[in-house]
């Protein structure tokens, strides 16, 4: 059942739907099978390039798309996840036979290919899944070939689970402390069953995503606006620091999740559902966090479907929106206040370039260089922001790609 669900998810990705948008399609499965299907689908997409190398070694021509996905699913389950070959081969043949006349005709081929693939040597030495050219080209230009290879290797490794703790809460047993403050758990984890979940002692947040609030350094009693706030990890951080938080997001549905997490963690914030460009506070905030909409190309290690469902279309429009949001946020910030601009993107046009352009548009605006414990000085960019990449902390499991900078408005 889980394998069939995984194949369904993969085929949905081929049609342009994200894995997260398809979670409802698995509701008929037992909870354990839903989780296994999601993991199988994600791992197959994460290792598709390597699986294709193995498959191509044993076929004369690439099979039809549905059959190819069955083969990839089985190869990854055997060679990456270590499942016994005999069980995987039999299940893959049965799954192939459910795919109509073409599947019936391909069942023998699938059996033969997978029996050979199960004994394949050199899986660990195969190159990781390459990014599509619309993204790989600009990133090679920005970072170079060696860094690009390291980023792709980090994507292949997936993402551990990072937790941000409420002040004074005890860390989850088995978690490792990270240099910048969060705690990291490795391996499959049932989040809601972890100690401290019901008590609201922590929330899930990648270590890179936790740094913009640290860069903003909110103080107790400060009026802080969290713009484009959902899903709310940064809102929780701001509230836990004692700030008077207003969280603004265009999506009422996504803000409901923020409400739930605030309640679980015993924290308070004022939530406003409105287009950020239309939001004007009655009193100017002391500080603003703007986590702007972006290409999300820094999150591929946890969202391996993203390269398959995006083609680079719309990034120019996102860059224009980011600039408009940044200008608007500065217009409502009090004189002398500070603003952290952040995007979970690897593309410099959504990060470093945005800050350079903002400085040119706003005379007197300055960048406050990071002075945070746990960060490598090499992460600080020429204009004074922080550039984070998935290949950083490779020995610890990496981090999401992010850019952030703290701006000070003239007084």
């Amino acid at each position: 059942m889980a394998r069939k669900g995984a194949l369904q998810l993969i085929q949905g990705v081929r049609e342009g739907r994200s894995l997260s948008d398809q979670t409802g399609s698995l509701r008929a499965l037992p909870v354990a099978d839903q989780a296994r299907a999601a993991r199988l689908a994600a791992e197959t997409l994460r290792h598709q390039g390597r699986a294709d190398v193995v498959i191509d070694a044993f076929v004369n021509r690439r099979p039809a798309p549905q059959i190819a996905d069955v083969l990839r699913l089985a190869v990854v389950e055997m060679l990456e996840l270590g499942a016994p070959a005999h069980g995987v081969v039999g299940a893959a043949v049965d799954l192939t036979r459910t795919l109509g006349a073409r599947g019936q005709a391909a069942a023998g081929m699938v059996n033969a290919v997978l029996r050979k693939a199960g004994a394949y040597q050199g899986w660990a030495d195969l190159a990781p899944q390459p990014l599509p050219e619309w993204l790989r080209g600009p990133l090679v230009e920005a970072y170079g070939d060696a860094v690009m290879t390291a980023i792709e290797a980090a994507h292949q490794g997936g993402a551990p689970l990072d937790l941000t703790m409420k002040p004074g809460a005890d860390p989850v047993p088995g978690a490792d402390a990270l240099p910048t403050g969060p705690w990291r758990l490795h391996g499959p984890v049932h989040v809601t069953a972890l100690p401290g979940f019901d008590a609201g002692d922590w929330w899930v947040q990648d270590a890179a995503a936790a740094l913009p609030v640290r860069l903003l350094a909110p103080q107790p009693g400060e009026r802080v606006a969290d713009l484009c706030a959902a899903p709310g990890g940064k809102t929780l951080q701001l509230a836990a620091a004692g700030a008077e938080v207003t969280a603004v997001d265009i999506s009422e549905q996504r803000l409901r999740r923020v409400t739930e997490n605030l309640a679980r963690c015993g924290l308070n914030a004022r939530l406003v559902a409105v287009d950020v460009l239309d939001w004007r506070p009655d009193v100017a905030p002391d500080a603003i966090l703007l986590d702007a909409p972006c290409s999300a190309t820094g999150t591929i290690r946890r969202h391996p479907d993203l390269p398959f469902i995006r083609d680079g279309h719309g990034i120019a429009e996102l860059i224009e929106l980011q600039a408009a949001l940044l200008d608007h946020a500065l217009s409502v910030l009090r004189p002398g206040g500070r603003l952290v601009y952040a995007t979970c993107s690897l593309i410099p046009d959504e990060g470093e370039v945005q800050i350079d352009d903002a400085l040119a548009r706003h005379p007197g605006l300055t960048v406050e260089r990071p002075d945070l414990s746990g960060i490598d000085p090499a992460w600080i960019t020429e204009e004074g922001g922080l550039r984070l990449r998935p290949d950083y902390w490779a020995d610890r499991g990496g981090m999401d790609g992010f850019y952030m900078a703290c701006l000070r408005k003239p007084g």
Side-chain angles (χ1 to χ4, degrees):
M1 294 292 286
R3 292 182 179 100
K4 186 174 183 179
L7 183 63
Q8 179 182 329
L9 292 175
I10 293 168
Q11 291 172 353
V13 170
R14 307 287 181 226
E15 296 165 1
R17 288 174 286 151
S18 70
L19 289 175
S20 59
D21 286 344
Q22 298 183 72
T23 52
S25 67
L26 301 178
R27 285 178 185 152
L29 298 179
V31 172
D33 281 347
Q34 292 181 39
R36 185 168 173 236
R39 183 184 180 214
L40 285 173
E43 291 297 325
T44 300
L45 294 170
R46 192 170 278 127
H47 298 280
Q48 176 175 305
R50 303 167 80 204
D52 284 347
V53 171
V54 176
I55 294 164
D56 289 346
F58 303 116
V59 296
N60 295 322
R61 61 180 181 178
R62 183 66 56 84
Q66 275 193 315
I67 308 302
D69 281 335
V70 173
L71 290 169
R72 291 164 176 150
L73 184 65
V75 167
V76 170
E77 193 175 0
M78 289 187 296
L79 300 183
E80 177 64 23
L81 302 180
H86 65 277
V88 173
V89 173
V93 170
D94 291 343
L95 185 54
T96 303
R97 289 187 174 126
T98 69
L99 302 178
R102 177 173 283 173
Q104 292 284 347
M109 180 273 291
V110 167
N111 180 67
V113 168
L114 292 181
R115 285 185 180 279
K116 296 172 184 175
Y120 185 86
Q121 301 295 312
W123 172 257
D125 298 325
L126 295 176
Q129 171 79 18
L131 289 173
E133 189 53 36
W134 68 263
L135 178 57
R136 196 176 202 279
L139 296 188
V140 168
E141 183 178 351
Y143 305 119
D145 287 309
V147 169
M148 191 68 258
T149 299
I151 288 174
E152 288 170 339
H155 290 165
Q156 176 177 282
L161 186 77
D162 294 347
L163 307 177
T164 296
M165 310 299 299
K166 273 178 63 177
D170 293 328
V172 173
D176 298 324
L178 293 173
T180 56
W183 294 77
R184 174 163 290 181
L185 288 163
H186 295 271
V189 175
H190 186 191
V191 171
T192 59
L194 289 174
F197 176 83
D198 290 333
D201 289 344
W202 48 262
W203 51 92
V204 175
Q205 186 178 34
D206 187 82
L211 275 171
V213 171
R214 287 195 60 205
L215 186 60
L216 187 67
Q219 301 302 306
E222 275 194 314
R223 295 185 301 272
V224 180
D226 184 7
L227 306 186
C228 308
K234 298 175 185 66
T235 302
L236 296 172
Q237 283 181 278
L238 294 167
E244 296 179 9
V245 186
T246 299
V248 185
D249 197 276
I250 196 170
S251 171
E252 288 189 31
Q253 181 178 355
R254 283 163 57 84
L255 281 175
R256 281 197 286 272
R257 182 178 171 189
V258 181
T259 301
E260 293 168 0
N261 281 321
L262 284 166
R264 179 177 67 83
C265 296
L267 298 170
N268 296 300
R270 176 173 174 256
L271 273 54
V272 179
V274 67
D275 188 327
V276 168
L277 292 173
D278 295 329
W279 178 72
R280 287 205 164 269
D282 295 331
V283 180
D286 299 307
I288 292 177
L289 177 64
L290 172 59
D291 188 0
C294 69
S295 64
T297 46
T299 67
I300 292 172
R301 60 201 272 274
R302 68 181 66 255
H303 297 296
D305 50 329
L306 190 147
F308 295 95
I309 62 175
R310 304 275 178 87
D311 60 5
H313 179 75
I315 291 181
E317 290 78 7
L318 277 173
I319 291 169
E320 290 181 7
L321 175 61
Q322 291 157 6
L325 289 166
L326 187 47
D327 288 347
H328 179 71
L330 287 168
S331 76
V332 300
L333 180 66
R334 72 163 176 82
R338 63 201 187 282
L339 182 152
V340 165
Y341 168 85
T343 55
C344 55
S345 170
L346 289 170
I347 301 173
D349 283 353
E350 298 185 88
E352 293 90 334
V353 175
Q354 283 286 13
I355 297 305
D356 283 337
D357 290 349
L359 293 172
R361 290 195 304 272
H362 298 274
L365 187 67
T366 57
V367 180
E368 299 197 337
R369 295 179 68 84
D371 183 18
L372 301 173
S373 61
I375 68 167
D376 188 324
W379 302 352
I380 302 175
T381 58
E382 183 179 353
E383 77 289 342
L386 268 182
R387 165 54 68 191
L388 307 179
R389 302 196 316 244
D391 57 308
Y392 292 160
W393 289 351
D395 57 334
R396 293 184 169 95
M399 64 174 71
D400 281 354
F402 244 93
Y403 177 83
M404 63 200 73
C406 185
L407 301 171
R408 176 72 68 172
K409 183 176 178 176

